[in-house]
Amino acid sequence: MAAAPVWSVDPRTGNPREQVAVEATAEEVDRAVRAAHAVRESLADRTVRAAFLRTAADLLVETGEHVIEAADAETALGPARLTGELARTAAQLRAFAEVVDEGAFLDIHIDHADATRTPPWPDLRRYKLPLGVVAVYAASNFPLAFSVPGGDTASALAAGCPVVVKAHPDHPATSELCASVLRRAAAEVGLPEDVLVLVHGFDAGIELIRHPLVAAAGFTGSVRGGRALFDAAAARPRPIPFHGELGSLNPVVVTEAAAAERAEEIGAGLAGSMTMGAGQFCTKPGFVLAPAGESGDRLLKSLTDAVSDTEAAVLLDHRMRDAFVEGVRTRAGLPGVVAPVTPGAGGDHTVSAGFLTVPAALLATEGPHDALLEECFGPVAVVARYTSHDEITAVLSRLPGNLTATLQAATDGADPDAPGLLAALTPLAGRVLVNGWPTGVAVAPAQHHGGPYPATTSTSTSVGATAIERWLRPVTYQTTPEALLPPELREDNPLGLPRRVDGRPA
């Protein structure tokens, strides 16, 4: 039986552009994983790893015109958005090179023998080692920053783990191009190209998570797909860590004082955030609690005006478009739901942005309106109008885990509702914002891009320096002669690495 072709498709028309590859068979996935596993020791040298990441960033920028052209043809995200994403992706690679250079990610602890302790301490020396081959499942909505050259790949390579990427079917040509750039970067610094291998196909993704030489996995996508892979990772004879980003509603609470102070500004800001990238950001604010009454009405008018000016947009593929159209139709048909700006089909290949309103009281208990508390991928948000603080807390208590939660409070610092609502939002998300909007995730050491399930399947972040921790495991050497210790743990610290000795920074 012939292998299934992998086509690059134009989302603006739904027409195939070119055949890019064929779907990998089980045997080909096995070869890909074994090839990556065979070269894992080549990544042991931190200096070479850092050079690899920087070279990859440089080559991506050098080929940027072709990468952006390919990505736009397959995603319709537009050159401006993709230019920014390319810059972010290159910066991310360079940031992890700095992490590798510094070496703090090794988390070195040395505790000298101390017979005065109760119980006595032997000599203990601890650091972290790479797990092994990492499977990366590319995201649909970020063809660069969360795909082949993205954060999961960059952090895994930084940790010293070879990577096998399962390309997303929405941008296979871009994936092939980016994989060739990374493999060329590896060769330029003297590494085997197979430190990064690319495979295509749904079945290949299943084979990949089950492969006995895959040591961990990173995923960005839907709750349904991510949960299936998570369960498969847990069901293996030897379960492996599965770091999945699955879905997020990203709730926003607007206090009475904030609406009274700047309703128009909040409405316009919400419109910009929820329609950014055609509402296809994982951090899109999809659910808003706003006050009933005059100040809330002003907020809704501003939101209506801004969203009404938004042009119809192309989503990443027609399957997503159909799901969006059906999702908003179902939600808009619920009793008590009003659509001040009707979202839905904008044309044969596009969608129009909009938002729905509903009394918050209808969401305070389980019932037919629960669909409004689930993510709808695309340019739509639900605004629940509350009449009391109790309604806010009742609705918040029913929300699932999220990547972000936002509080819009009065800017004078005297908002009486702000402290309690901030405390109520904090358990719901991994990143909590005050008077900002969640779209846009800075690649910074203090960043956390994750949250309680179903936002993610672990407590880790997929953005920022600490994303490297997902692909490492600690090991301690006890009473080990100096000559047998790895250089990172030797007494004279020949590599000049940051460490804690006897509980203190050294």
Side-chain angles (χ1 to χ4, degrees), residues 52-401:
F52 171 33
L53 293 168
R54 291 191 174 96
T55 302
D58 292 344
L59 291 181
L60 272 176
V61 172
E62 286 178 18
T63 58
E65 181 178 347
H66 300 297
V67 171
I68 290 167
E69 181 182 8
D72 181 50
E74 293 187 306
T75 67
L77 289 172
R81 148 71 195 273
L82 291 166
T83 298
E85 188 178 334
L86 179 68
R88 172 201 176 92
T89 306
Q92 199 163 236
L93 288 161
R94 294 188 179 109
F96 278 111
E98 293 177 6
V99 169
V100 174
D101 282 338
E102 183 198 27
F105 72 96
L106 294 169
D107 195 24
I108 298 172
H109 289 256
I110 296 176
D111 293 325
H112 292 106
D114 187 348
T116 67
R117 298 274 184 173
T118 304
W121 283 9
D123 186 270
L124 299 168
R125 295 166 187 253
R126 177 186 188 271
Y127 76 152
K128 291 183 177 179
L129 292 171
L131 289 173
V133 177
V134 170
V136 170
Y137 293 80
S140 62
N141 56 339
F142 282 87
L144 307 176
F146 285 84
S147 291
V148 174
D152 285 352
T153 297
S155 58
L157 292 170
C161 297
V163 174
V164 179
V165 182
K166 206 290 285 184
H168 196 281
D170 279 353
H171 37 79
T174 307
S175 297
E176 286 284 344
L177 178 56
C178 289
S180 70
V181 169
L182 265 64
R183 288 171 65 87
R184 180 155 57 97
E188 286 196 10
V189 300
L191 288 172
E193 291 186 348
D194 285 342
V195 294
L196 182 128
V197 186
L198 183 70
V199 297
H200 297 266
F202 177 85
D203 290 341
I206 300 298
E207 293 293 335
L208 189 57
I209 200 67
R210 293 173 175 167
H211 197 286
L213 294 180
V214 168
F219 171 90
T220 303
S222 69
V223 173
R224 181 181 178 185
R227 183 55 192 259
L229 291 171
F230 175 74
D231 290 346
R236 291 166 41 124
R238 181 174 65 87
I240 59 172
F242 181 87
H243 300 285
E245 180 192 323
L246 310 189
S248 188
L249 197 59
N250 303 305
V252 179
V253 177
V254 182
T255 69
E256 291 270 10
E261 176 187 78
R262 51 196 172 88
E264 289 77 14
E265 177 186 333
I266 293 172
L270 172 59
S273 188
M274 61 166 277
T275 61
M276 185 180 293
Q280 297 175 111
F281 279 54
C282 51
T283 52
K284 178 200 74 174
F287 181 77
V288 183
L289 280 158
E294 185 272 335
S295 61
D297 290 344
R298 288 193 291 117
L299 189 158
L300 254 62
K301 182 181 185 307
S302 173
L303 178 61
T304 298
D305 292 344
V307 172
S308 297
D309 288 340
T310 304
E311 295 183 359
V314 177
L315 296 189
L316 293 161
D317 62 39
H318 280 58
R319 176 183 57 80
M320 293 183 188
R321 177 188 175 277
D322 293 345
F324 173 77
V325 171
E326 176 59 23
V328 296
R329 185 194 65 78
T330 300
R331 288 164 172 80
L334 293 169
V337 174
V338 176
V341 182
T342 303
D348 290 342
H349 307 289
T350 60
V351 298
S352 56
F355 69 97
L356 309 174
T357 66
V358 64
L362 293 178
L363 304 174
T365 57
E366 184 176 351
H369 292 81
D370 286 358
L372 299 173
L373 303 180
E374 298 173 0
E375 180 185 17
C376 186
F377 193 73
V380 65
V382 174
V383 181
R385 307 289 300 273
Y386 65 83
T387 60
S388 69
H389 190 276
D390 287 346
E391 286 184 359
I392 299 176
T393 56
V395 174
L396 291 181
S397 72
R398 303 195 61 239
L399 294 186

